[in-house]
Tab-separated table of all heavy atoms in Angstrom:
chain	number	residue	atom	x	y	z
A	126	THR	N	11.767	-6.949	-4.349
A	126	THR	CA	10.588	-6.330	-4.777
A	126	THR	C	10.234	-6.945	-6.284
A	126	THR	O	11.062	-7.759	-6.700
A	126	THR	CB	10.729	-4.825	-5.056
A	126	THR	OG1	11.873	-4.586	-5.945
A	126	THR	CG2	10.945	-4.156	-3.688
A	127	ALA	N	9.215	-6.558	-6.781
A	127	ALA	CA	8.771	-7.175	-8.032
A	127	ALA	C	8.018	-6.168	-8.952
A	127	ALA	O	7.356	-5.289	-8.444
A	127	ALA	CB	7.860	-8.337	-7.755
A	128	SER	N	8.323	-6.223	-10.253
A	128	SER	CA	7.462	-5.533	-11.216
A	128	SER	C	6.609	-6.557	-11.878
A	128	SER	O	6.896	-7.170	-12.869
A	128	SER	CB	8.430	-4.855	-12.183
A	128	SER	OG	9.150	-3.722	-11.567
A	129	THR	N	5.377	-6.664	-11.328
A	129	THR	CA	4.381	-7.736	-11.884
A	129	THR	C	4.039	-7.686	-13.329
A	129	THR	O	3.821	-8.543	-13.950
A	129	THR	CB	3.171	-7.895	-10.987
A	129	THR	OG1	2.549	-6.550	-10.957
A	129	THR	CG2	3.560	-8.298	-9.562
A	130	CYS	N	3.956	-6.248	-13.809
A	130	CYS	CA	3.548	-6.091	-15.159
A	130	CYS	C	4.613	-6.481	-16.111
A	130	CYS	O	4.348	-6.832	-17.275
A	130	CYS	CB	3.244	-4.638	-15.297
A	130	CYS	SG	1.770	-4.025	-14.552
A	131	PHE	N	5.871	-6.403	-15.705
A	131	PHE	CA	6.995	-6.712	-16.487
A	131	PHE	C	7.542	-8.243	-16.122
A	131	PHE	O	8.582	-8.688	-16.679
A	131	PHE	CB	8.234	-5.830	-16.468
A	131	PHE	CG	7.757	-4.528	-16.880
A	131	PHE	CD1	7.443	-3.356	-15.924
A	131	PHE	CD2	7.795	-4.201	-18.189
A	131	PHE	CE1	7.020	-2.215	-16.327
A	131	PHE	CE2	7.368	-2.822	-18.636
A	131	PHE	CZ	6.975	-1.878	-17.768
A	132	GLU	N	6.785	-8.871	-15.253
A	132	GLU	CA	7.270	-10.249	-14.767
A	132	GLU	C	8.692	-10.319	-14.292
A	132	GLU	O	9.384	-11.237	-14.727
A	132	GLU	CB	6.918	-11.191	-15.941
A	132	GLU	CG	5.351	-11.135	-16.278
A	132	GLU	CD	5.085	-12.004	-17.548
A	132	GLU	OE1	6.066	-12.541	-18.134
A	132	GLU	OE2	3.925	-12.290	-17.794
A	133	LYS	N	9.146	-9.329	-13.484
A	133	LYS	CA	10.440	-9.208	-13.108
A	133	LYS	C	10.541	-9.213	-11.558
A	133	LYS	O	9.888	-8.451	-10.896
A	133	LYS	CB	11.077	-7.973	-13.717
A	133	LYS	CG	12.584	-7.825	-13.353
A	133	LYS	CD	13.101	-6.468	-13.972
A	133	LYS	CE	13.147	-6.537	-15.389
A	133	LYS	NZ	13.820	-5.313	-16.064
A	134	LEU	N	11.500	-10.085	-10.986
A	134	LEU	CA	11.745	-10.097	-9.618
A	134	LEU	C	13.070	-9.383	-9.426
A	134	LEU	O	14.112	-9.821	-9.937
A	134	LEU	CB	11.773	-11.466	-9.225
A	134	LEU	CG	12.121	-11.849	-7.706
A	134	LEU	CD1	11.110	-11.231	-6.726
A	134	LEU	CD2	12.425	-13.291	-7.409
A	135	ARG	N	13.141	-8.438	-8.443
A	135	ARG	CA	14.363	-7.628	-8.236
A	135	ARG	C	14.913	-8.187	-6.842
A	135	ARG	O	14.184	-7.976	-5.975
A	135	ARG	CB	14.169	-6.206	-8.321
A	135	ARG	CG	13.997	-5.612	-9.728
A	135	ARG	CD	14.001	-4.077	-9.651
A	135	ARG	NE	13.946	-3.520	-10.993
A	135	ARG	CZ	12.919	-3.283	-11.563
A	135	ARG	NH1	11.697	-3.289	-10.899
A	135	ARG	NH2	12.962	-2.702	-12.781
A	136	LEU	N	16.078	-8.607	-6.822
A	136	LEU	CA	16.689	-9.238	-5.688
A	136	LEU	C	17.851	-8.236	-5.189
A	136	LEU	O	18.770	-8.058	-6.082
A	136	LEU	CB	17.074	-10.637	-5.753
A	136	LEU	CG	15.975	-11.689	-6.078
A	136	LEU	CD1	16.576	-13.010	-6.321
A	136	LEU	CD2	14.975	-11.604	-5.051
A	137	PRO	N	18.040	-7.886	-3.965
A	137	PRO	CA	19.172	-7.121	-3.543
A	137	PRO	C	20.532	-7.952	-3.658
A	137	PRO	O	20.494	-9.106	-3.499
A	137	PRO	CB	18.804	-6.810	-2.077
A	137	PRO	CG	17.416	-6.948	-1.932
A	137	PRO	CD	17.100	-7.992	-2.811
A	138	ARG	N	21.678	-7.251	-4.101
A	138	ARG	CA	22.852	-7.861	-4.200
A	138	ARG	C	23.561	-8.028	-2.924
A	138	ARG	O	24.617	-8.722	-2.854
A	138	ARG	CB	23.741	-7.019	-5.155
A	138	ARG	CG	23.972	-5.584	-4.695
A	138	ARG	CD	24.756	-4.721	-5.654
A	138	ARG	NE	26.033	-5.257	-5.784
A	138	ARG	CZ	27.110	-4.658	-6.536
A	138	ARG	NH1	26.863	-3.449	-6.915
A	138	ARG	NH2	28.259	-5.202	-6.568
A	139	HIS	N	23.083	-7.398	-1.858
A	139	HIS	CA	23.927	-7.352	-0.595
A	139	HIS	C	23.875	-8.467	0.215
A	139	HIS	O	24.657	-8.824	1.251
A	139	HIS	CB	23.388	-6.171	0.315
A	139	HIS	CG	22.139	-6.274	0.823
A	139	HIS	ND1	21.683	-7.172	1.749
A	139	HIS	CD2	20.874	-5.612	0.332
A	139	HIS	CE1	20.347	-7.026	2.055
A	139	HIS	NE2	19.840	-6.190	1.249
A	140	TYR	N	23.021	-9.528	-0.046
A	140	TYR	CA	23.090	-10.775	0.665
A	140	TYR	C	24.333	-11.586	0.546
A	140	TYR	O	24.850	-11.872	-0.509
A	140	TYR	CB	21.892	-11.705	0.241
A	140	TYR	CG	20.489	-11.065	0.530
A	140	TYR	CD1	19.691	-10.580	-0.472
A	140	TYR	CD2	20.026	-10.860	1.854
A	140	TYR	CE1	18.468	-9.973	-0.220
A	140	TYR	CE2	18.831	-10.251	2.089
A	140	TYR	CZ	18.040	-9.842	1.081
A	140	TYR	OH	16.833	-9.276	1.342
A	141	THR	N	24.806	-11.978	1.821
A	141	THR	CA	26.028	-12.772	1.933
A	141	THR	C	25.794	-14.169	2.550
A	141	THR	O	26.711	-14.950	2.593
A	141	THR	CB	27.241	-12.103	2.459
A	141	THR	OG1	26.774	-11.675	3.853
A	141	THR	CG2	27.642	-10.845	1.738
A	142	THR	N	24.517	-14.267	3.133
A	142	THR	CA	24.121	-15.615	3.626
A	142	THR	C	22.838	-15.915	3.293
A	142	THR	O	21.919	-15.092	3.006
A	142	THR	CB	24.202	-15.516	5.280
A	142	THR	OG1	23.156	-14.600	5.657
A	142	THR	CG2	25.511	-15.033	5.800
A	143	TYR	N	22.500	-17.305	3.089
A	143	TYR	CA	21.299	-17.814	2.585
A	143	TYR	C	20.289	-17.474	3.635
A	143	TYR	O	19.091	-17.169	3.275
A	143	TYR	CB	21.344	-19.257	2.329
A	143	TYR	CG	19.990	-19.829	1.843
A	143	TYR	CD1	19.386	-19.494	0.689
A	143	TYR	CD2	19.342	-20.740	2.811
A	143	TYR	CE1	18.135	-20.036	0.352
A	143	TYR	CE2	18.087	-21.089	2.363
A	143	TYR	CZ	17.556	-20.845	1.215
A	143	TYR	OH	16.317	-21.378	0.949
A	144	LYS	N	20.532	-17.606	4.944
A	144	LYS	CA	19.536	-17.437	6.029
A	144	LYS	C	18.995	-16.002	5.861
A	144	LYS	O	17.773	-15.873	5.964
A	144	LYS	CB	20.207	-17.571	7.318
A	144	LYS	CG	19.167	-17.626	8.508
A	144	LYS	CD	19.870	-17.868	9.784
A	144	LYS	CE	18.841	-17.819	11.029
A	144	LYS	NZ	19.511	-18.074	12.311
A	145	ALA	N	19.669	-15.005	5.669
A	145	ALA	CA	19.342	-13.614	5.653
A	145	ALA	C	18.345	-13.407	4.430
A	145	ALA	O	17.256	-12.822	4.406
A	145	ALA	CB	20.414	-12.666	5.621
A	146	PHE	N	18.858	-13.993	3.305
A	146	PHE	CA	18.079	-13.931	2.021
A	146	PHE	C	16.760	-14.537	2.065
A	146	PHE	O	15.666	-14.088	1.806
A	146	PHE	CB	18.866	-14.704	0.866
A	146	PHE	CG	18.102	-14.802	-0.383
A	146	PHE	CD1	18.132	-13.848	-1.246
A	146	PHE	CD2	17.434	-15.861	-0.714
A	146	PHE	CE1	17.324	-13.965	-2.535
A	146	PHE	CE2	16.709	-16.154	-1.883
A	146	PHE	CZ	16.687	-15.113	-2.767
A	147	GLN	N	16.735	-15.803	2.782
A	147	GLN	CA	15.501	-16.551	3.013
A	147	GLN	C	14.450	-15.871	3.797
A	147	GLN	O	13.280	-15.755	3.495
A	147	GLN	CB	15.712	-17.977	3.558
A	147	GLN	CG	14.578	-18.914	3.735
A	147	GLN	CD	14.833	-19.999	4.412
A	147	GLN	OE1	15.762	-19.972	5.348
A	147	GLN	NE2	14.176	-21.101	4.166
A	148	GLN	N	14.874	-15.221	5.028
A	148	GLN	CA	14.081	-14.570	5.835
A	148	GLN	C	13.426	-13.377	5.229
A	148	GLN	O	12.189	-13.044	5.285
A	148	GLN	CB	14.916	-14.091	7.122
A	148	GLN	CG	15.181	-15.160	8.035
A	148	GLN	CD	16.036	-14.635	9.092
A	148	GLN	OE1	16.768	-13.539	9.088
A	148	GLN	NE2	16.194	-15.473	10.278
A	149	ASP	N	14.162	-12.514	4.326
A	149	ASP	CA	13.644	-11.389	3.721
A	149	ASP	C	12.712	-11.793	2.661
A	149	ASP	O	11.663	-11.222	2.479
A	149	ASP	CB	14.838	-10.457	3.148
A	149	ASP	CG	15.464	-9.764	4.278
A	149	ASP	OD1	14.922	-9.872	5.449
A	149	ASP	OD2	16.453	-8.960	3.921
A	150	LEU	N	13.008	-12.758	1.976
A	150	LEU	CA	12.176	-13.229	0.829
A	150	LEU	C	10.847	-13.753	1.421
A	150	LEU	O	9.755	-13.450	0.778
A	150	LEU	CB	12.879	-14.374	-0.146
A	150	LEU	CG	12.139	-14.670	-1.396
A	150	LEU	CD1	11.911	-13.413	-2.223
A	150	LEU	CD2	12.943	-15.707	-2.188
A	151	CYS	N	10.858	-14.551	2.364
A	151	CYS	CA	9.654	-15.102	2.960
A	151	CYS	C	8.750	-14.031	3.535
A	151	CYS	O	7.496	-13.963	3.236
A	151	CYS	CB	10.036	-15.938	4.085
A	151	CYS	SG	10.591	-17.654	3.445
A	152	ALA	N	9.362	-12.961	4.008
A	152	ALA	CA	8.595	-11.786	4.571
A	152	ALA	C	7.932	-11.127	3.476
A	152	ALA	O	6.739	-10.687	3.565
A	152	ALA	CB	9.431	-10.909	5.400
A	153	CYS	N	8.639	-10.962	2.373
A	153	CYS	CA	8.057	-10.253	1.292
A	153	CYS	C	6.983	-10.936	0.570
A	153	CYS	O	5.927	-10.419	0.207
A	153	CYS	CB	9.203	-9.857	0.324
A	153	CYS	SG	10.375	-8.626	0.840
A	154	ILE	N	7.203	-12.270	0.231
A	154	ILE	CA	6.219	-12.954	-0.581
A	154	ILE	C	4.955	-13.263	0.402
A	154	ILE	O	3.859	-13.584	-0.246
A	154	ILE	CB	6.782	-14.367	-1.011
A	154	ILE	CG1	7.147	-15.299	0.072
A	154	ILE	CG2	7.897	-13.992	-1.990
A	154	ILE	CD1	7.655	-16.651	-0.469
A	155	SER	N	5.089	-13.232	1.684
A	155	SER	CA	3.867	-13.382	2.491
A	155	SER	C	2.949	-12.156	2.257
A	155	SER	O	1.771	-12.257	2.720
A	155	SER	CB	4.264	-13.462	3.973
A	155	SER	OG	4.781	-12.082	4.441
A	156	THR	N	3.322	-11.092	1.651
A	156	THR	CA	2.384	-9.937	1.433
A	156	THR	C	1.718	-10.115	0.131
A	156	THR	O	0.981	-9.315	-0.307
A	156	THR	CB	3.267	-8.596	1.412
A	156	THR	OG1	4.011	-8.633	0.147
A	156	THR	CG2	4.059	-8.557	2.582
A	157	SER	N	1.775	-11.218	-0.612
A	157	SER	CA	1.280	-11.252	-1.969
A	157	SER	C	-0.117	-11.189	-2.038
A	157	SER	O	-0.704	-10.893	-3.107
A	157	SER	CB	1.844	-12.648	-2.616
A	157	SER	OG	1.271	-13.790	-1.916
A	158	TYR	N	-0.876	-11.475	-1.025
A	158	TYR	CA	-2.364	-11.347	-0.924
A	158	TYR	C	-2.913	-9.978	-0.479
A	158	TYR	O	-4.030	-9.826	-0.438
A	158	TYR	CB	-3.021	-12.578	-0.147
A	158	TYR	CG	-2.957	-13.891	-0.913
A	158	TYR	CD1	-1.906	-14.794	-0.578
A	158	TYR	CD2	-3.620	-14.079	-1.970
A	158	TYR	CE1	-1.817	-16.015	-1.222
A	158	TYR	CE2	-3.637	-15.359	-2.618
A	158	TYR	CZ	-2.599	-16.303	-2.289
A	158	TYR	OH	-2.487	-17.553	-2.901
A	159	SER	N	-1.923	-9.142	-0.138
A	159	SER	CA	-2.448	-7.831	0.393
A	159	SER	C	-1.743	-6.741	-0.251
A	159	SER	O	-2.061	-5.499	0.022
A	159	SER	CB	-2.013	-7.817	1.781
A	159	SER	OG	-0.732	-7.978	2.145
A	160	GLY	N	-0.881	-6.924	-1.241
A	160	GLY	CA	-0.181	-5.756	-1.793
A	160	GLY	C	0.667	-6.238	-2.973
A	160	GLY	O	0.832	-7.380	-3.267
């Protein structure tokens, strides 16, 4: 998630593989033009 007003990106600590991290991050940033 992100707090845009505070210019802060919050990343979950539970990721243990890069593939899972990349998939979730790509899904989230794809919403940048709609929310």
Side-chain angles (χ1 to χ4, degrees):
T126 58
S128 295
T129 55
C130 294
F131 298 99
E132 301 172 346
K133 181 181 290 186
L134 177 67
R135 288 191 173 91
L136 300 174
R138 62 182 293 191
H139 62 75
Y140 293 111
T141 56
T142 65
Y143 175 72
K144 183 177 180 180
F146 173 85
Q147 181 188 32
Q148 288 177 340
D149 284 357
L150 186 59
C151 286
C153 291
I154 66 176
S155 68
T156 69
S157 62
Y158 287 101
S159 59

